[in-house]
């Protein structure tokens, strides 16, 4: 039998950032992949897989090699959100 797989919380603003947990399972819940683990009280918890070391490396982030702070898709989504909140979208 192999060693238990572990993961690290990598989201920089999550209160558990940097902590390592034993992976229980990964499942698609609430429309996203989630990693399940037991916390310090042995309660089963989950976290979005994208916020962990289990997430695949984003191709844009990899290619940017630290030179780009934002992905185009994220900026477009931010623009849509601002428009929906009543902001004015600038025209070219």
């Amino acid at each position: 039998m192999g060693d238990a797989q572990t993961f690290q919380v990598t989201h920089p603003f999550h209160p558990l950032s940097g902590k390592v947990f034993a992976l229980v399972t990964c499942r698609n819940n609430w429309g996203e992949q989630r990693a399940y683990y037991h916390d310090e009280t042995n309660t089963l918890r989950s976290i979005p897989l994208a916020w962990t070391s289990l997430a695949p490396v984003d191709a844009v982030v990899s290619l940017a090699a630290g030179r780009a702070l934002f992905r185009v898709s994220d900026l477009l989504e931010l623009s849509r959100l601002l428009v929906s909140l009543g902001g004015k979208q600038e025209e070219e």
Side-chain angles (χ1 to χ4, degrees), residues 4-7 21-29 32-38 44-49 52 54:
Q5 185 176 4
T6 61
F7 68 91
F21 296 96
L23 178 66
V24 174
T25 190
C26 288
R27 290 179 30 186
N28 188 344
N29 282 0
E32 67 183 350
Q33 283 291 107
R34 299 185 70 85
Y36 285 80
Y37 64 97
H38 289 105
L44 185 63
R45 304 278 185 186
S46 73
I47 187 169
L49 193 74
T52 73
L54 299 171

Side-chain angles (χ1 to χ4, degrees), residues 58-62 64 68-78:
D58 183 285
V60 173
V61 172
S62 177
L69 298 177
F70 305 99
R71 297 181 307 172
V72 172
S73 60
D74 294 334
L75 291 173
L76 291 171
E77 181 61 29
L78 176 61

